[in-house]
Amino acid sequence: MRERQLPMTGSPLEVVQQAARSLKLNATDVDQAIVKASQEHCVPSAKFMDQGSDVSCWMRVAELNRGLFKLRCPPDIQLEALERMSQHRALSPELGGIEAKLS
């Protein structure tokens, strides 16, 4: 998000700590896992699941903030993201028309 100059509330560490508390995980184990994690090798789960593509990440941005998506998403990625969202909607109409809201 920093790389793309997108706003973010809270630090990744705060998010992990909050999740650990919610899941009632052992704080010591969580702290040790955080120490072992390498920021250089971390990627968003959407990007990992999309085999390194940024499209799924931008689809998530579109779901959360369509104005930001329209303003900051690179045109080629925006086109692919809108196509994928259209396909998802066709397969799962209950998800709503995200791409219609973006047009």
Side-chain angles (χ1 to χ4, degrees):
M1 293 184 73
R2 276 185 233 114
E3 197 175 285
R4 300 285 184 184
Q5 299 171 346
L6 299 172
M8 181 174 69
T9 57
S11 72
L13 180 58
E14 291 169 338
V15 171
V16 169
Q17 290 171 334
Q18 183 179 7
R21 282 191 301 275
S22 296
L23 296 170
K24 297 179 178 151
L25 300 176
N26 179 311
T28 304
D29 292 343
V30 172
D31 290 341
Q32 288 176 357
I34 290 169
V35 168
K36 290 178 185 177
S38 166
Q39 282 190 315
E40 295 83 41
H41 296 98
C42 291
V43 296
S45 59
K47 185 170 184 164
F48 178 79
M49 295 302 291
D50 203 10
Q51 300 172 351
S53 170
D54 285 336
V55 177
S56 290
C57 296
W58 280 107
M59 289 169 63
R60 182 68 179 134
V61 171
E63 290 174 14
L64 298 171
N65 187 328
R66 64 179 174 239
L68 186 62
F69 172 80
K70 291 170 88 173
L71 181 67
R72 296 284 176 100
C73 184
D76 58 324
I77 292 177
Q78 193 172 122
L79 181 62
E80 186 174 345
L82 291 171
E83 287 174 8
R84 284 198 204 173
M85 287 186 284
S86 179
Q87 291 170 357
H88 285 275
R89 195 191 81 190
L91 294 172
S92 303
E94 71 276 2
L95 294 176
I98 294 170
E99 81 287 345
K101 295 175 187 175
L102 295 170
S103 301

